[in-house]
Amino acid sequence: MNATTTWISRRVSKLLPAALAKDEAAAGAPVKSEAAATPLRGPGSAPAPSPRGKPPQRSTRERLEATLRQGEEALSPRMLRRALDELRGIIDPRVSEVEGGRRAAALAVWYEGATPARRRDLWLLMSEMFVADADKAREAQARFAAAVGTPDEAVAEVHYRRATVSPRRRLLQRFSVYPGGVQFLVDLRAELQPHLKADRRLQALDVEMEYMFSTWFDVGFLDLRRISWDSPASLIEKLIQYEAVHDIKSWSDVKNRLDSDRRCYGFFHPRLPEVPLIFIEVALLDDMASDIVPLLDESAAAADLQKATTAIFYSISNTQVGLRGVSFGDSLIKRVVDTLKEEFPKLKTFATLSPIPGLRPWLQRHLAAQLERLDERALRELGRAVSFEPPSTEHVLGALDKPLALDAKSPLRQFLLRCAAQYLGAEWQDGKPLDPVARFHLGNGARVERLNWAGDPSPKGLKQSYGLMVNYLYDLKRLDKHRAQLAQGRIPMAAEIEGLLKP
């Protein structure tokens, strides 16, 4: 056993459950096993709230300076200080990158066996105790401000940038050194996400990780690979696991999605070669699809590729929650379009068949306002359709509960289509389209093309959007125009959608 291995074994063993119990017993705290210290709630679960009457929560710095553990704190002060020493040892300037990576790998082993509450203590240490030196940052900023416009400006800017880089960034970089370290960090951030709103102290760590991931996972470092039925079974299993739009129910289901008239592509990172970061499923057809059922029909014959003129993107799934905020969907669609055009020169139309996940809850909250937009005639027709005049929100919602039974001329059906057009074409939040799927595709330069009644009659489709689906059209010659239009506060849409918005 060499010196490095001995150091790792000795140091990390002090953080293992037996050592924790020994320290807690020495401090007079009740001894608990690792499993009993915190109830098992799974990754990302919030720790149980403190009962009434408990002392107020201490800050991380107060805990580091204390002697005894208090209340619901997971790690005793002594163990918290020891964990901080382990983290600092990873970025010790006297050790090499490789040695720092080994130390990070050892700490990751401890982390994998730790309870959620003890993991959270480690997050707090990483977030709060590895900040840039405030005095040095202020001094460098003052020097930079004084040097603006002088020959020393560039040098002063370099010093300022270096002064504001936190040791936390170097710490995260050391975790990326060892095999599996990148996946470890991505999983850590995924587990961190549910805690951010409740504990703002963790936001510095989250933002630092998002910044680093945006660099590490830049599209220039990603490989576009086709996933087919001939791909390794382990990779196909990833599709089943991560499919987020239309659940894959069986192997025959996934085989249908990888048939000869289909294509599936994913972005892969060299450090995560077996996991697609995002994947897209495509159907090659002779017309724009309006119904998801035929696309998912396992018994349907494959389409004739010689007649294919349209590529329908019917499912796009991100696989890594820890990469939230890192955008590569835009580049994926562009790369897929270029790849498809090269393989199938006859393709002219590129569009989606997309869900409208927020429509039903939005309408339930804003139905009264939508009824007020109707003129007297439309209001009377709607009232007769629901057998209550003037129609109340309660009666309209009740009548909409079975949308598939409405015929094409039903005033209730026309009303729902108008509401969907309003939701997709005129509703905003923080300067962006309200619907998350619309936000994605419109941000990539697409336009709202067509609403499809009963496009998804599944229970999930009815729950999300009364069964409605929408086509977003990627007009390759107008993508930049549509983006500019969106930036000006106008959602690009086809004339059919605009017509539904008119009073």
Side-chain angles (χ1 to χ4, degrees), residues 229 236 240 248-259 262 295-299:
W229 186 244
I236 297 177
I240 299 174
I248 298 177
K249 302 175 182 178
S250 63
W251 281 97
S252 58
D253 185 357
V254 72
K255 185 176 182 180
N256 173 59
R257 303 188 194 204
L258 301 175
D259 209 345
R262 305 296 177 88
L295 300 186
L296 302 181
D297 184 0
E298 300 169 23
S299 63

Side-chain angles (χ1 to χ4, degrees), residues 156-229:
E157 181 185 0
V158 170
H159 287 307
Y160 174 53
R161 288 180 179 274
R162 288 177 177 171
T164 55
V165 174
S166 70
R168 189 187 308 109
R169 188 173 305 176
R170 188 163 70 253
L171 176 64
L172 295 174
Q173 289 170 338
R174 290 287 171 89
F175 275 93
S176 72
V177 170
Y178 73 91
V182 172
Q183 184 68 70
F184 169 78
L185 290 176
V186 171
D187 292 343
L188 186 153
R189 184 168 183 251
E191 188 179 358
L192 180 72
Q193 295 301 300
H195 298 267
L196 294 174
K197 289 185 178 180
D199 195 341
R200 293 181 296 176
R201 296 175 296 174
L202 298 171
Q203 291 182 6
L205 175 60
D206 178 68
V207 171
E208 190 86 70
M209 296 182 83
E210 180 180 348
Y211 170 80
M212 295 193 69
F213 289 164
S214 66
T215 301
W216 293 354
F217 292 91
D218 184 270
V219 292
F221 300 125
L222 305 182
D223 296 323
L224 181 69
R225 286 163 45 187
R226 180 183 170 188
I227 304 171
S228 70
W229 186 244

Side-chain angles (χ1 to χ4, degrees), residues 414-435:
Q414 295 304 311
F415 173 70
L416 182 55
L417 287 170
R418 289 184 61 175
C419 290
Q422 174 71 23
Y423 174 69
L424 294 175
E427 295 297 315
W428 299 78
Q429 183 178 43
D430 299 328
K432 297 179 180 180
L434 178 60
D435 185 78

Side-chain angles (χ1 to χ4, degrees), residues 397-448:
L397 287 176
L400 286 175
D401 201 43
K402 296 182 179 180
L404 301 182
L406 302 175
D407 61 53
K409 295 183 179 180
S410 167
L412 197 59
R413 176 166 168 168
Q414 295 304 311
F415 173 70
L416 182 55
L417 287 170
R418 289 184 61 175
C419 290
Q422 174 71 23
Y423 174 69
L424 294 175
E427 295 297 315
W428 299 78
Q429 183 178 43
D430 299 328
K432 297 179 180 180
L434 178 60
D435 185 78
V437 178
R439 192 182 312 138
F440 173 81
H441 290 295
L442 295 172
N444 293 338
R447 78 180 185 193
V448 186

Side-chain angles (χ1 to χ4, degrees), residues 196-480:
L196 294 174
K197 289 185 178 180
D199 195 341
R200 293 181 296 176
R201 296 175 296 174
L202 298 171
Q203 291 182 6
L205 175 60
D206 178 68
V207 171
E208 190 86 70
M209 296 182 83
E210 180 180 348
Y211 170 80
M212 295 193 69
F213 289 164
S214 66
T215 301
W216 293 354
F217 292 91
D218 184 270
V219 292
F221 300 125
L222 305 182
D223 296 323
L224 181 69
R225 286 163 45 187
R226 180 183 170 188
I227 304 171
S228 70
W229 186 244
D230 295 325
S231 298
S234 60
L235 180 53
I236 297 177
E237 287 175 347
K238 295 293 192 303
L239 300 186
I240 299 174
Q241 177 183 356
Y242 291 116
E243 166 62 48
V245 183
H246 304 291
D247 294 340
I248 298 177
K249 302 175 182 178
S250 63
W251 281 97
S252 58
D253 185 357
V254 72
K255 185 176 182 180
N256 173 59
R257 303 188 194 204
L258 301 175
D259 209 345
S260 61
D261 61 338
R262 305 296 177 88
R263 291 295 183 269
C264 180
Y265 299 94
F267 263 154
F268 293 79
H269 191 276
R271 297 297 297 273
L272 304 174
E274 304 303 323
V275 181
L277 306 178
I278 183 173
F279 61 89
I280 184 169
E281 298 170 56
V282 188
L284 303 174
L285 307 171
D286 59 359
D287 197 6
M288 189 180 298
S290 61
D291 184 351
I292 193 63
V293 174
L295 300 186
L296 302 181
D297 184 0
E298 300 169 23
S299 63
D304 186 353
L305 291 180
Q306 298 299 320
K307 298 180 180 179
T309 60
T310 304
I312 295 294
F313 309 130
Y314 64 94
S315 180
I316 302 177
S317 300
N318 287 289
T319 69
Q320 305 296 307
V321 175
L323 294 180
R324 180 175 296 168
V326 181
S327 176
F328 25 64
D330 177 23
S331 298
L332 174 66
I333 290 176
K334 288 180 179 177
R335 294 271 296 275
V336 168
V337 167
D338 290 340
T339 301
L340 290 172
K341 287 175 65 179
E342 185 175 346
E343 185 178 1
F344 303 101
K346 292 182 180 179
L347 291 178
K348 304 299 181 185
T349 303
F350 298 89
T352 78
L353 181 59
S354 299
I356 316 175
L359 175 60
R360 185 163 186 154
W362 172 83
L363 185 57
Q364 289 173 341
R365 293 192 304 270
H366 298 90
L367 180 57
Q370 297 308 304
L371 290 173
E372 291 176 1
R373 297 180 67 244
L374 298 177
D375 58 30
E376 292 185 6
R377 178 181 177 183
L379 202 59
R380 285 196 302 271
E381 291 177 348
L382 187 61
R384 287 194 292 269
V386 301
S387 302
F388 192 89
E389 295 186 52
S392 68
T393 57
E394 180 181 357
H395 286 83
V396 172
L397 287 176
L400 286 175
D401 201 43
K402 296 182 179 180
L404 301 182
L406 302 175
D407 61 53
K409 295 183 179 180
S410 167
L412 197 59
R413 176 166 168 168
Q414 295 304 311
F415 173 70
L416 182 55
L417 287 170
R418 289 184 61 175
C419 290
Q422 174 71 23
Y423 174 69
L424 294 175
E427 295 297 315
W428 299 78
Q429 183 178 43
D430 299 328
K432 297 179 180 180
L434 178 60
D435 185 78
V437 178
R439 192 182 312 138
F440 173 81
H441 290 295
L442 295 172
N444 293 338
R447 78 180 185 193
V448 186
E449 185 66 12
R450 186 178 69 187
L451 285 167
N452 300 299
W453 185 265
D456 183 2
S458 70
K460 181 179 180 180
L462 294 172
K463 183 178 180 180
Q464 288 184 334
S465 58
Y466 301 98
L468 286 173
M469 296 193 78
V470 59
N471 298 117
Y472 296 101
L473 178 68
Y474 280 84
D475 186 335
L476 304 184
K477 296 181 179 179
R478 293 181 171 83
L479 298 181
D480 290 338

